[in-house]
Amino acid sequence: MSLASHDPLLQPFTIKHLTLRNRVVSTSHEPAYGENGMPKDRYRLYHLEKARGGVGLTMIGGSAVISPDSPPSFGNLVLYKDEVVGWLRRLSDEVHAAGAAVMCQVTHLGRRTSNYTGDWLPVLSASPLREPAHRAFPKGAESWDLDRIVRHYAEAAARCQAGGLDGIELQSYGHFLDSFLSPWTNHRDDELGGDLEGRMAFPRRVIRAVREAVGPDFIVGIRMMLDEDRPGGLAQDEAISALKAYTADGIDFVSTIKGSIESDHTLSKVIPSMGQPSAPFLEWTGRIKQELDIPVMHASRIADVATARYAVREGLVDLVGMTRAQIADPHLVNKIAAGQEDRIRPCVGANYCLDAIYQSGDAKCIHNPAAGREQTLVHEIGRRSEAPRRAVVIGAGPAGLEAARVLGARGHHVVLFEANDEVGGQIRLTSPSPHRRDLIGIVDWRLAEAKQHGVEIRLGRFAEASDVLAEDPDIVIVATGGMPNREFLGEGAELVHDVWDVMDGSLRPRGDVLVFDDHGGYPGMDAAEVLAMRGTSVEFVTPERVIAPDVGAMNSPAYLKSFAVHDVKVTLPYYLRRVRRSADGRLEAVLWSEYADLEVTRLVDHVVVEHGTLPVADLYHELRAGSRNGGEVDQEALLAGRPQEVTRKADGRYQLFRIGDAVTSRNIHAAIYDALRLCIAL
Ligand SMILES: Cc1cc2nc3c(=O)[nH]c(=O)nc-3n(C[C@H](O)[C@H](O)[C@H](O)COP(=O)(O)O)c2cc1C
Ligand code: SF4
């Protein structure tokens, strides 16, 4: 018998009549891949990839909505149209054929949506209390609203059943159902408020209606806040009593949630980002499970296989959610089964996946660009059939490492030059940040994979054109990154520091520091936080309307906490116009308001600026003349996944490409995506 056959994670599990092939679940999550609310090709292929990758149960439709008065607020699937049945059917057929089970989360979002979207019907909740995150002022639901919503729940469940799904999961944390159950959100003075009996009466009515609609065999679970984790919120004993009543009404399994999701701060605890402890609610779930006699599922930052295995082995859960872990690597289960755990692409907890939904319209993994792009990209790279070529990659930041990894996996002979003694580029600079240092997993995995594929890594080598040409390459990839841009400053660039000086420790700060952030991303926030932690008095200045608009709701809470704890002063919207040495040797920083056309002056000990990077591209320009394509990328071929075949100079010896920040200042995902889609076709 193989080791895998004893692995607790790989043991089957039965819910009612349904036997799952293993204990690993991708819990309900909405990646916003639907088209007009329908799970079409992109959505289906995303889940099919996990099914092919070995997952036991994949749950679709995070917060799939049942009513027009629950309009999609983050790309949710729409279950109130009959059209959805055909799309569900196709998805469930293909996922089943790949060996996995599939269920859908079903919900009325209640106040967790907007009054200004979809059909513009008034947002509803048990009581008219605003949700801080989505900011709608809801109407307190009337009895005729409730009659309609009960009917919609039942109809949506029936559509899921008709679509061939194995079951559904009702959502009861932060949405409509639990707005009744929780005393925090239920302030009603009718028979649906007050004591526990009153508060659970409406959810029980919904569950009974759903059960009646789908019959006794169809699986109906609930994802439920079993402790709201705040004074005045839903207490654990009440929640468990409610769950037992729900079970009597027809609930078959529970997925446990601790805490609430109404604000960025509370949501970021329920779905913890990097820098927070692993599996924070696992032991708590284990204690809850002792009080229940239905199957228990749980997910919350169980990102590594060892913790997941421990959770199942110790009986803390029946089914373990590894949701972001399988966004990062949908083949996770297959790799466990094949004894290749060390090859799993790790989820580093960046929560770019969640933040990207609001910032760029759909979920994207920070270091797996193929996630959600299954129509054009593969997750596992095969060797090419043609003869290998000689490739040189210069620069071992995220873009260069990805290029080396992918070219190596394609079977090319790859030499990777890095000027520093360590790989990682700008990711390494995040190490002083308490909540960003886990990003190093992006580097470590790529380095290990590159070595696995035989990439020759030359550290501490500042590659000149002659070094590159000495390799007699067929392909040259310039991934030399960028350097901090201070040139934007009209006067005083030589007097200021950049965020790299802060992060690499070369600036020993003291006194008052002004951080000017004209980027709106992480680096300025990292620098301000690190400076404040080092005991300086920090003023954070930005010309934006809000601070760091590119740092989303899941990642900003950690900074905002630090800013509050260390009393970082925030000033907006001002530009930094010039910096001069003052008579007493300090620095005079002149800020300018574009709106009022006025200047104000600060006297400080240091000025730190963040304005992105400027490409380090000398080598690229030097190598262009000898190249066949002059550095040109055929963008149509790139987007279509075809090989690059541009010839601008017939006797050019090699193809030359430039990727990542060596092109222009961009984020980690963009750098890695640049490398992957180019190199996968070389
Ligand atoms: C992109 C994304 C969207 C999510 N949407 C939902 C959702 O609609 N409903 C829900 O119950 N959970 C949602 N979640 C939470 C996940 O189901 C899961 O609880 C969370 O990611 C923590 O588990 P993990 O650490 O294994 O990823 C979402 C998570 C992600 C990453
Ligand atoms: S973006 Fe970050 S948190 Fe989300 S799946 Fe990728 S590595 Fe994990």
Side-chain angles (χ1 to χ4, degrees):
M1 241 187 203
S2 70
L3 267 181
S5 62
H6 291 292
D7 191 329
L9 287 173
L10 301 183
Q11 304 312 309
F13 185 76
T14 302
I15 310 176
K16 276 188 151 172
H17 56 278
L18 175 72
T19 299
L20 305 174
R21 61 181 162 182
N22 59 52
R23 305 301 186 95
V24 181
V25 177
S26 168
T27 58
S28 312
H29 63 287
E30 183 43 72
Y33 296 157
E35 288 170 49
N36 298 323
M38 296 298 133
K40 297 191 182 178
D41 294 350
R42 183 181 185 198
Y43 207 103
R44 186 180 67 257
L45 292 175
Y46 170 68
H47 282 280
L48 188 57
E49 191 74 36
K50 295 180 210 291
R52 290 183 176 142
V55 72
L57 165 63
T58 191
M59 307 199 65
I60 67 165
S63 314
V65 294
I66 59 150
S67 293
D69 61 14
S70 167
S73 67
F74 41 99
N76 317 60
L77 295 185
V78 164
L79 296 177
Y80 54 82
K81 294 183 180 170
D82 288 334
E83 179 195 351
V84 78
V85 173
W87 295 111
L88 291 176
R89 172 58 71 181
R90 189 160 172 209
L91 187 153
S92 58
D93 283 351
E94 292 187 22
V95 168
H96 286 151
V102 53
M103 300 189 190
C104 183
Q105 187 177 72
V106 172
T107 200
H108 188 294
L109 289 163
R111 62 187 191 140
R112 194 169 175 75
T113 183
S114 167
N115 272 316
Y116 311 128
T117 187
D119 293 311
W120 286 59
L121 293 169
V123 164
L124 297 169
S125 192
S127 300
L129 302 170
R130 191 186 203 209
E131 196 224 46
H134 292 75
R135 302 176 49 250
F137 291 101
K139 165 189 136 170
E142 298 175 67
S143 59
W144 54 271
D145 291 315
L146 300 181
D147 293 345
R148 183 186 65 244
I149 289 170
V150 169
R151 180 164 47 83
H152 284 168
Y153 262 108
E155 289 169 356
R159 286 189 192 100
C160 290
Q161 189 177 30
L165 302 183
D166 297 289
I168 60 167
E169 168 188 87
L170 302 177
Q171 208 279 15
S172 178
Y173 66 108
H175 292 192
F176 195 63
L177 282 188
D178 60 292
S179 74
F180 283 84
L181 183 61
S182 165
W184 182 266
T185 44
N186 184 338
H187 296 184
R188 297 174 75 101
D189 53 13
D190 61 5
E191 70 285 1
L192 300 180
D195 64 7
L196 180 62
E197 285 302 313
R199 283 183 278 118
M200 66 182 179
F202 177 70
R204 293 191 70 177
R205 192 178 150 200
V206 168
I207 293 165
R208 287 196 292 261
V210 164
R211 180 50 76 197
E212 200 180 317
V214 297
D217 295 334
F218 193 61
I219 295 172
V220 179
I222 191 162
R223 192 166 208 199
M224 184 170 170
M225 169 173 81
L226 286 164
D227 181 346
E228 198 164 348
D229 217 7
R230 63 173 154 207
L234 180 66
Q236 189 173 307
D237 55 345
E238 280 203 340
I240 290 179
S241 301
L243 177 56
K244 287 183 174 164
Y246 294 172
T247 304
D249 293 330
I251 287 295
D252 297 315
F253 72 86
V254 66
S255 178
T256 58
I257 296 285
K258 190 167 195 271
S260 68
I261 58 171
E262 67 167 16
S263 70
D264 295 350
H265 173 61
T266 58
L267 178 64
S268 70
K269 289 192 190 170
V270 172
I271 310 181
S273 297
M274 55 192 165
Q276 296 185 45
S278 164
F281 312 119
L282 181 56
E283 304 295 334
W284 168 81
T285 293
R287 289 193 294 279
I288 297 272
K289 185 170 180 292
Q290 312 246 310
E291 300 194 41
L292 303 173
D293 52 14
I294 51 173
V296 172
M297 175 194 303
H298 173 69
S300 188
R301 196 150 157 71
I302 302 173
D304 62 295
V305 174
T307 306
R309 186 175 285 132
Y310 160 81
V312 174
R313 192 187 59 224
E314 298 303 314
L316 304 175
V317 296
D318 295 305
L319 297 168
V320 60
M322 301 188 75
T323 305
R324 288 171 293 173
Q326 289 173 99
I327 298 177
D329 194 338
H331 294 240
L332 178 141
V333 176
N334 281 354
K335 288 179 184 171
I336 297 173
Q340 295 183 335
E341 273 171 52
D342 55 339
R343 304 285 306 273
I344 293 172
R345 183 190 316 233
C347 169
V348 297
N351 269 345
Y352 186 69
C353 43
L354 279 148
D355 282 341
I357 293 176
Y358 290 92
Q359 290 179 326
S360 55
D362 52 15
K364 296 167 195 75
C365 175
I366 193 167
H367 78 133
N368 181 4
R373 296 195 180 101
E374 285 78 10
Q375 288 162 295
T376 53
L377 292 174
V378 292
H379 287 261
E380 297 298 320
I381 295 159
R383 293 176 93 77
R384 59 188 235 135
S385 45
E386 304 90 328
R389 301 164 76 201
R390 296 184 59 78
V392 174
V393 180
I394 309 101
L401 278 172
E402 176 71 352
R405 173 189 86 87
V406 174
L407 291 169
R410 299 271 294 140
H412 297 298
H413 301 295
V414 187
V415 176
L416 172 62
F417 285 105
E418 167 56 46
N420 287 316
D421 294 335
E422 289 180 309
V423 300
Q426 290 180 56
I427 288 182
R428 230 164 244 294
L429 286 174
T430 62
S431 62
S433 163
H435 38 260
R436 298 262 291 158
R437 60 174 67 115
D438 291 359
L439 288 176
I440 204 68
I442 295 172
V443 172
D444 291 344
W445 179 77
R446 284 192 164 69
L447 180 60
E449 285 293 303
K451 286 182 179 163
Q452 177 83 26
H453 295 304
V455 172
E456 193 185 323
I457 298 161
R458 300 194 193 153
L459 297 177
R461 283 287 300 278
F462 187 94
E464 309 279 356
S466 54
D467 299 312
V468 174
L469 298 177
E471 301 299 322
D472 192 19
D474 304 305
I475 303 167
V476 178
I477 310 275
V478 177
T480 39
M483 290 298 284
N485 179 359
R486 301 184 195 177
E487 287 176 17
F488 73 97
L489 194 56
E491 181 183 339
E494 71 290 356
L495 298 174
V496 305
H497 289 273
D498 56 58
V499 297
W500 290 22
D501 298 332
V502 176
M503 301 307 279
D504 71 12
S506 53
L507 170 65
R508 302 244 165 244
R510 65 187 158 77
D512 301 315
V513 187
L514 186 142
V515 176
F516 175 67
D517 179 31
D518 193 11
H519 169 176
Y522 288 91
M525 298 289 271
D526 283 339
E529 180 180 36
V530 166
L531 285 163
M533 287 186 329
R534 288 179 185 156
T536 60
S537 164
V538 179
E539 179 177 2
F540 183 90
V541 180
T542 171
E544 311 276 359
R545 281 189 292 134
V546 294
I547 59 169
D550 292 346
V551 179
M554 298 301 296
N555 282 291
S556 52
Y559 292 104
L560 296 177
K561 178 178 171 188
S562 264
F563 278 28
V565 168
H566 298 290
D567 199 19
V568 172
K569 182 178 169 199
V570 173
T571 299
L572 46 92
Y574 276 93
Y575 285 92
L576 177 64
R577 225 176 199 182
R578 58 183 174 276
V579 177
R580 285 183 184 150
R581 184 73 65 194
S582 67
D584 62 358
R586 298 181 85 204
L587 295 176
E588 244 176 48
V590 177
L591 309 179
W592 174 64
S593 161
E594 182 183 11
Y595 301 95
D597 191 17
L598 63 80
E599 290 187 346
V600 292
T601 302
R602 301 281 198 264
L603 255 187
V604 293
D605 297 291
H606 308 282
V607 173
V608 174
V609 298
E610 166 55 18
H611 191 86
T613 53
L614 289 172
V616 174
D618 296 354
L619 180 64
Y620 165 78
H621 290 297
E622 222 176 305
L623 289 168
R624 277 180 62 194
S627 74
R628 196 158 65 244
N629 60 330
E632 179 178 340
V633 177
D634 176 346
Q635 293 193 339
E636 282 171 25
L638 183 81
L639 298 183
R642 292 195 310 268
Q644 293 290 321
E645 284 167 352
V646 174
T647 301
R648 294 176 77 95
K649 191 173 170 222
D651 61 348
R653 284 166 51 198
Y654 46 85
Q655 288 182 295
L656 172 71
F657 302 102
R658 179 162 67 130
I659 56 173
D661 281 4
V663 180
T664 190
S665 183
R666 286 169 297 163
N667 69 15
I668 296 170
H669 180 82
I672 292 175
Y673 188 23
D674 252 13
L676 174 64
R677 63 178 165 181
L678 173 75
C679 296
I680 209 166
L682 291 179

